[in-house]
């Protein structure tokens, strides 16, 4: 059974179930907001009186409610916190939902290549300065992991392992950036190492 990358990355939205809000939860949150507002207003009014200032109670209440509303809106709009260091996802079956706000390492890796490749599409100098060294680092890393050498440490053996087209691509900058088909062939050769 083969699955294409399009099948893996496609997303079909499931119909949302009916939103059920408990009345007790809403009343509890309103009471909590009123208590917090009353406590803050009491502290502010007491602080103002200690300093010797007199401000209308309604102005203080309106100011506190405005600050609490701004806090709630900014809290709802803030991005999710970054994952903790050392966090491991639980093993087993996935819950069937996807957290679109989460940071995806695959997406970051793809963007790390997609942006420079797109930026260098018609510019040989940019390609030679930005992308070619990255591909060379990948080739050196594959050679180091699989064979214990790099292009610099043992050029003759690296040349035989990389084979002539890949060696020429890495050592001789081309007159134009490679086409997507050429890059696919280069990546395939790197994967064979």
């Amino acid at each position: 059974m083969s699955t294409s990358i399009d099948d893996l990355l496609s997303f079909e939205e499931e119909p949302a179930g009916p939103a059920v809000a408990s009345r007790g939860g809403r009343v509890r949150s309103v009471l909590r907001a009123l208590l917090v507002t009353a406590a803050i207003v009491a502290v502010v009014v007491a602080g103002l009186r200690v300093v010797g200032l007199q401000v209308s109670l309604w102005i203080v209440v309106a100011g506190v409610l405005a600050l609490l509303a701004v806090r709630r809106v900014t809290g709802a709009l803030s991005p999710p916190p970054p994952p903790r260091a050392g966090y491991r996802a639980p093993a087993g079956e996935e819950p069937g939902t996807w957290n679109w706000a989460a940071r995806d390492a695959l997406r970051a890796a793809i963007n790390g290549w997609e942006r420079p490749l797109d930026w260098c599409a018609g510019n040989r100098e940019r390609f030679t300065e930005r992308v070619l060294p990255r591909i060379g680092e990948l080739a050196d890393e594959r050679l180091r992991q699989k064979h214990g050498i790099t292009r610099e440490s043992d050029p003759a053996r690296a040349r035989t392992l990389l084979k002539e087209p890949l060696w020429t691509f890495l050592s001789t900058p081309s007159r134009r950036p490679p086409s997507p088909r050429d890059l696919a062939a280069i990546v395939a050769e790197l994967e064979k190492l």
Side-chain angles (χ1 to χ4, degrees):
M1 180 173 144
S2 69
T3 304
S4 71
I5 192 77
D6 292 330
D7 292 337
L8 292 173
L9 297 178
S10 66
F11 173 73
E12 294 178 16
E13 189 149 338
E14 297 176 7
V20 178
S22 65
R23 182 171 169 82
R26 184 174 292 153
V27 171
R28 189 174 295 132
S29 66
V30 169
L31 284 176
R32 186 169 150 216
L34 287 175
L35 286 174
V36 168
T37 303
I40 293 174
V41 166
V43 169
V44 170
V45 168
L48 289 173
R49 290 215 174 135
V50 166
V51 178
L53 295 175
Q54 293 252 336
V55 179
S56 170
L57 182 64
W58 296 113
I59 292 175
V60 175
V61 170
V64 168
L65 286 175
L67 286 175
L68 289 175
V70 167
R71 181 175 180 257
R72 185 172 186 153
V73 168
T74 56
L77 296 177
S78 68
R84 297 177 310 184
Y87 171 76
R88 289 188 54 174
E93 237 176 89
E94 292 182 13
T97 60
W98 181 258
N99 183 3
W100 293 103
R103 297 176 185 191
D104 186 10
L106 178 61
R107 171 56 41 201
I110 290 171
N111 286 344
W113 282 98
E114 184 178 36
R115 287 186 187 121
L117 285 172
D118 188 41
W119 186 61
C120 299
N123 192 327
R124 179 184 60 86
E125 291 84 20
R126 285 184 187 167
F127 181 82
T128 304
E129 290 172 4
R130 302 287 180 179
V131 177
L132 194 58
R134 286 183 173 184
I135 296 173
E137 289 172 9
L138 283 174
D140 283 337
E141 186 63 20
R142 295 289 291 210
L143 286 170
R144 186 190 64 74
Q145 287 179 351
K146 302 283 183 172
H147 305 284
I149 64 167
T150 62
R151 291 178 297 155
E152 189 175 298
S153 68
D154 191 356
R157 185 162 178 234
R159 187 174 195 155
T160 59
L161 291 170
L162 289 174
K163 301 185 181 143
E164 199 56 37
L166 185 55
W167 177 264
T168 305
F169 173 78
L170 293 173
S171 60
T172 310
S174 64
R175 294 183 190 154
R176 60 176 177 74
S179 68
R181 180 178 293 152
D182 295 338
L183 275 177
I186 289 164
V187 170
E189 288 296 320
L190 277 175
E191 289 177 346
K192 288 179 186 176
L193 280 180

